[in-house]
Amino acid sequence: MLVAYAREIRKSGGIDLHIIGVGGRGHVAFHESGIPFKGSDVMLVKLDDNTVANAVADGHFPSEKNSPRYAVTMGAELVYQAKTVVLLACGERKVGL
């Protein structure tokens, strides 16, 4: 399914505008450290405990029990093929990034 998603993006001519968020440790679009740049189109990633805790602290979920443990994300290679990329850093703990 994830491979098909990336294929459909390419088939339709790519992404015109990609809006991505920055994480508290500087990663973008759930592209955590250790994920290779090349060949990482669309993937399912396991969220680490810090990311889950921050999702609760930022008010996205009422508790860690309610927070997802996995996220579907695009790898950096596919993200940066977009014609325009907008990077957003929202929240008090991201002020110093």
Side-chain angles (χ1 to χ4, degrees):
M1 181 172 116
L2 298 176
V3 172
Y5 189 74
R7 186 174 48 244
E8 288 300 314
I9 290 170
R10 287 191 176 90
K11 194 166 96 179
S12 69
I15 298 170
D16 291 326
L17 173 64
H18 200 130
I19 301 172
I20 58 176
V22 62
R25 293 171 290 172
H27 64 275
V28 296
F30 288 117
H31 196 270
E32 303 273 0
S33 62
I35 297 173
F37 181 83
K38 290 242 178 243
S40 58
D41 290 338
V42 180
M43 67 201 103
L44 181 67
V45 294
K46 184 173 185 337
L47 304 179
D48 64 22
D49 292 338
N50 182 268
T51 301
V52 171
N54 285 336
V56 174
D58 291 344
H60 300 299
F61 301 96
S63 71
E64 289 186 18
K65 179 181 154 197
N66 299 104
S67 179
R69 296 295 173 162
Y70 291 87
V72 174
T73 189
M74 290 184 189
E77 184 177 21
L78 186 57
V79 167
Y80 295 119
Q81 289 174 5
K83 293 176 182 89
T84 303
V85 177
V86 175
L87 177 67
L88 299 177
C90 301
E92 192 64 32
R93 62 185 178 81
K94 298 178 187 176
V95 170
L97 291 176

